[in-house]
Amino acid sequence: MPRRVGPQRATELLLFGERLSAVEAAQLGLVNEVLPDETALGKRVSERVATLAERSVRAVTATRALLHDRTDESVEERMESESKHFAELLHDPDTVATLRAKLDRR
């Protein structure tokens, strides 16, 4: 949280247990999206699940691994790691099939 909202604001929120509205949480970058009600939330979740279902499982897994990977690497090391993952995905039959299907729809 300190990285997201800054150490002073994180300290205030955590020590004093301040409640935030959904809009405030979005403004601080603690949530990605604010929806009006449960119906809209259900619809949005369904949309997101459908989008992920269209993706290559291996590509999604690799992306998640890169996002949650070590942050102590230099920019050059990160780029090398990302390039390696991308090159591996280009040889993955599932990823290739997903890309072909996407291109065929255009």
Side-chain angles (χ1 to χ4, degrees), residues 51-63:
T51 298
L52 283 177
E54 293 177 355
R55 306 276 192 261
S56 157
V57 172
R58 188 158 179 207
V60 171
T61 302
T63 300

Side-chain angles (χ1 to χ4, degrees), residues 31 39 41 52 59 62 65 74 84 92 95 105:
V31 298
T39 302
L41 175 61
L52 283 177
S74 69
K84 180 183 169 192
D92 175 57
T95 301
R105 285 187 291 227

